[in-house]
Amino acid sequence: MTTELRVGVAGLGTVGASLLHLLETRSSALAARCGRSVRVSAVSARDRTRDRGADLSAMAWFDDPVALAGSPDIDVFVELIGGDNGPAEDSVRAALATGKSVVTANKALLAKHGVELARLAEENKVSLSYEAAVAGGIPVIKTMRESLAGNEIDRVYGILNGTCNYILTRMEQDGLDFSDCLADAQRLGYAEADPTFDIEGNDTAHKLAILTSLAFGSQINSEKIYLEGISSITRADIEAASELGYRIKLLGVAQRTDSGIEQRVHPTMVPKASAIARIDGVLNAVAIDGDAVGEVVLVGPGAGGSATASAVLGDIVDVARGLSVPTLGMPAHELAPYKAARMRMHEGGYYIRLAVYDRSGAFAEIARIMADEGISLESIVQRDRTRTHTEAETHGDAPQPVILTTYETTEAAVKRALGTITARNVVAGTPQMIRIEKLR
Ligand code: NDP
Ligand code: HSE
């Protein structure tokens, strides 16, 4: 047996504490699988007094994760702090620069600095592994980078944020309010330290940026991704979607189009019969369309301490076994810049919810504006038109909810039509618009 692998872990929160627990309880199995023992020799976090649910007495403590990363007493550095700068970035750079392989779950860091860090890893002949950074426990990085390396990939899409999927599922199934569902997701350890990254779609965009690079051999650029989160989704939308035969999911989609690579993150109506519609709670799903293999769909827990630590540990095992592949599937200098397709060119169906003033001619005007933009309406439903004559007299022309769905059209046409409808003063407030994705 070769010498043991000494692991330094920075960050002992939801994921770090679960990792310590897994490494402690699986130590003999890991030694057998790796042909050497794997031991946490040093750790770093902010609060030394906090109970981490593990015995830290045999581990060196570092207040400064950068000092831990540079320590000659560790062989691999595991970064579980989070954030795209500060101690996470500094410690990862320090570890790579001092010739240590790095394992991280930090998608924000990779989305911002991934190519540069990949180059640093190559220069120092070490590996940079990040299975846990995308879709938690699902082995999507290895699948795309290694198992599907013989494919040309045309599209990768999926549910990439456990917190959002948990919130949308509980709002639909349990009739709970958004804020209560988010509080539960935080309590369960699914959410980011700043949960606006989850609910506004940034976390999904970080993951999609990484998957785009693996799929298309491109550089990483999360700034090019069209982004909309789930905070505007109401129970009314969820109920209307269900009546129309859809469920609402936050999807990340990257696909080749004639005008470039389309990358978008937004709430999406998916047919109830599709595989993606059946992914509930904290589960994530990633679908990859390869030219040789066809569609591959991976499903599993997308967040949570144990599931994420499972992916981190898989990467540590690779290091212990001496396995290494290029960080983003090819040498960093081979990764090409890419042309991003403009969102206004996106084509698809749309769900539109309007609060229409209860006046004669309002419906006709909306239909005319849509027709002028060449938009063909699939359905129009006026909801809750249950007021009595007396109520109507009391409330005047108070707005009534109207739901439209369109056949396939362009984003540009829908945006123009909604702009005109709003300007003509036939609706109150801002129209709600949700894209419909025709998935199998
Ligand atoms: P937590 O907020 O639970 O833990 C963060 C840890 O980092 C804490 O232990 C904290 O110390 C430590 N820390 C913060 N600042 C410093 C610092 N300056 N020096 C040393 N330690 C510091 O986060 P998570 O465990 O949830 O997430 C960690 C990473 O994993 C993030 O990148 C996240 O995006 C990613 N991830 C998380 C998943 C999840 O389900 N939670 C799933 C997939 C990826 P202290 O405890 O003392 O405050
Ligand atoms: N906050 C993230 C999520 C953690 O909810 O998916 C996993 O990356």
Side-chain angles (χ1 to χ4, degrees):
M1 192 181 268
T2 51
T3 52
E4 69 175 359
L5 183 80
R6 298 166 305 170
V7 183
V9 181
L12 301 176
T14 303
V15 182
S18 293
L19 177 68
L20 293 192
H21 177 72
L22 267 189
L23 274 160
E24 192 178 298
T25 51
R26 309 282 145 91
S27 65
S28 25
L30 288 169
R33 285 174 192 159
C34 301
R36 62 197 291 201
S37 60
V38 177
R39 178 176 68 88
V40 179
S41 58
V43 292
S44 174
R46 280 177 301 207
D47 182 354
R48 191 171 184 166
T49 63
R50 188 174 295 170
D51 179 11
R52 311 288 175 175
D55 180 7
L56 308 185
S57 57
M59 302 167 194
W61 177 274
F62 287 75
D63 287 324
D64 178 8
V66 181
L68 168 60
S71 164
D73 297 328
I74 62 167
D75 304 307
V76 56
F77 178 69
V78 181
E79 185 275 306
L80 299 171
I81 297 171
D84 66 9
N85 56 24
E89 182 190 0
D90 297 344
S91 59
V92 167
R93 286 185 187 280
L96 296 173
T98 50
K100 293 174 195 88
S101 287
V102 168
V103 175
T104 180
N106 190 338
K107 52 270 168 155
L109 180 69
L110 288 159
K112 188 164 178 194
H113 301 293
V115 176
E116 205 187 325
L117 294 174
R119 202 173 291 123
L120 190 57
E122 282 164 24
E123 283 165 12
N124 289 283
K125 299 186 172 40
V126 289
S127 62
L128 171 59
S129 312
Y130 54 94
E131 186 62 72
V134 181
I138 301 177
V140 63
I141 304 298
K142 281 185 209 291
T143 301
M144 289 184 70
R145 191 178 55 187
E146 291 150 50
S147 314
L148 299 180
N151 284 260
E152 284 294 314
I153 293 173
D154 280 330
R155 178 173 69 159
V156 56
Y157 69 94
I159 296 170
L160 302 175
N161 184 272
T163 300
C164 288
N165 206 47
Y166 177 84
I167 292 172
L168 292 171
T169 304
R170 295 217 58 203
M171 281 175 77
E172 181 185 0
Q173 294 182 355
D174 303 326
L176 296 178
D177 286 333
F178 190 100
S179 55
D180 292 337
C181 301
L182 173 59
D184 276 354
Q186 289 179 289
R187 184 179 48 76
L188 292 164
Y190 302 157
E192 294 302 299
D194 176 355
T196 56
F197 277 82
D198 295 293
I199 63 180
E200 296 307 341
N202 309 77
D203 179 76
T204 300
H206 292 150
K207 294 164 178 168
L208 187 68
I210 297 167
L211 295 184
T212 304
S213 174
L214 291 171
F216 306 120
S218 58
Q219 292 177 356
I220 301 180
N221 193 340
S222 62
E223 307 279 305
K224 291 186 177 180
I225 297 176
Y226 176 82
L227 186 60
E228 257 178 49
I230 64 164
S231 56
S232 72
I233 301 297
T234 64
R235 295 235 308 264
D237 295 319
I238 291 173
E239 281 163 21
S242 181
E243 286 170 24
L244 290 163
Y246 297 104
R247 298 187 75 197
I248 301 177
K249 298 290 181 188
L250 182 72
L251 288 195
V253 182
Q255 63 189 0
R256 291 185 203 274
T257 72
D258 292 341
S259 55
I261 294 178
E262 185 176 279
Q263 287 176 289
R264 50 194 168 91
V265 172
H266 51 73
T268 311
M269 290 206 178
V270 295
K272 277 184 183 171
S274 64
I276 285 284
R278 293 192 287 270
I279 306 303
D280 282 337
V282 74
L283 290 182
N284 282 190
V286 190
I288 307 146
D289 292 342
D291 63 344
V293 70
E295 185 174 74
V296 172
V297 183
L298 306 173
V299 176
S306 179
T308 309
S310 155
V312 172
L313 190 46
D315 282 343
I316 296 173
V317 166
D318 278 354
V319 176
R321 288 170 170 161
L323 301 174
S324 180
V325 289
T327 305
L328 292 161
M330 59 180 73
H333 71 269
E334 299 276 3
L335 297 164
Y338 65 97
K339 179 169 178 255
R342 284 180 300 167
M343 192 59 193
R344 57 196 306 282
M345 305 292 284
H346 171 70
E347 292 178 10
Y350 289 79
Y351 155 102
I352 294 159
R353 176 168 53 79
L354 302 168
V356 181
Y357 288 117
D358 202 1
R359 294 177 202 144
S360 67
F363 257 46
E365 181 152 18
I366 289 166
R368 196 165 43 244
I369 293 166
M370 290 288 187
D372 286 349
E373 290 294 348
I375 299 169
S376 176
L377 295 177
E378 186 178 21
S379 68
I380 306 181
V381 182
Q382 182 164 10
R383 294 171 66 82
D384 302 335
R385 204 175 192 286
T386 51
R387 294 185 307 163
T388 62
H389 184 66
T390 321
E391 281 171 333
E393 277 171 359
T394 311
H395 297 292
D397 64 354
Q400 298 293 302
V402 173
I403 308 281
L404 315 175
T405 59
T406 77
Y407 286 110
E408 186 150 304
T409 181
T410 64
E411 178 98 359
V414 170
K415 286 273 171 73
R416 273 195 308 268
L418 293 183
T420 311
I421 288 168
T422 308
R424 296 274 169 88
N425 207 22
V426 283
V427 297
T430 310
Q432 171 70 299
M433 183 266 269
I434 303 177
R435 295 164 193 85
I436 299 172
E437 201 90 15
K438 300 280 185 214
L439 299 172
R440 278 177 289 139

